Amino acid sequence: MVNVSIKVNGEMRTASVPPETTLLRLLRDNFNLTGAKLGCDVGDCGACTVIVDGLPVNSCLMLANQVDGREVLTIEGLATTDKLHPLQKKFEEFGSLQCGFCGPGIIMSAKALLDENPAPTVMQIRDALGGNLCRCTGYAKMIEAIQAVANGSIEPVASKSA
Ligand code: FES
Ligand code: FES
């Protein structure tokens, strides 16, 4: 077993886990943070995306051990009890999700992008979502929602594929 101590959504959390435990398993199974989803488990779908020290990562590909002493933000860390994060609000407003399974990962990738680049172009948004697969939506409404959060100006993207 290895001891892991990380700051998750602003709170110090510790656990003792087998060395092969991934960050995703740690979050879901030990910390009961089930927002990050287990999709492919091999780094292909982005459903498990969380932010580690400011960068989006596939948490299914990181060992919990590798995150010891670092800072993790998950989808649960975005909203407060009575207020959604602007990205969550715009995704809701724009109807950006259908089944929603990809949503937490997409929103975390979008947050990491906007933290780094508050006014991204459509191409930059597409690039940022490149590792996040969605089987339902076609991405256009997501891109519009991210743009709306970024700068309030919306370039039509419905006719383009992501
Ligand atoms: Fe991690 Fe698919 S579950 S990338
Ligand atoms: Fe269903 Fe994206 S909304 S996978």
Side-chain angles (χ1 to χ4, degrees), residues 8-9 13-15 23-37 74-76:
V8 187
N9 301 334
R13 308 286 296 263
T14 57
L23 172 58
L24 179 61
R25 294 287 186 186
L26 176 77
L27 292 170
R28 292 181 59 87
D29 300 343
N30 294 81
F31 298 159
N32 202 27
L33 294 168
T34 56
K37 298 289 181 265
T74 73
I75 190 79
E76 289 90 347

Side-chain angles (χ1 to χ4, degrees), residues 97-100 102 134-137:
L97 295 169
Q98 290 179 25
C99 80
C102 67
C134 174
R135 300 195 61 177
C136 305
T137 67

Side-chain angles (χ1 to χ4, degrees), residues 84 86-96 141 145 148 154:
L84 292 176
L87 279 166
Q88 293 170 312
K89 210 165 166 24
K90 287 294 175 196
F91 267 59
E92 183 185 43
E93 200 178 307
F94 281 69
S96 302
K141 294 285 177 197
I154 296 169

Side-chain angles (χ1 to χ4, degrees), residues 40-51:
C40 64
D41 213 12
V42 292
D44 284 341
C45 74
C48 63
T49 304
V50 299
I51 295 177

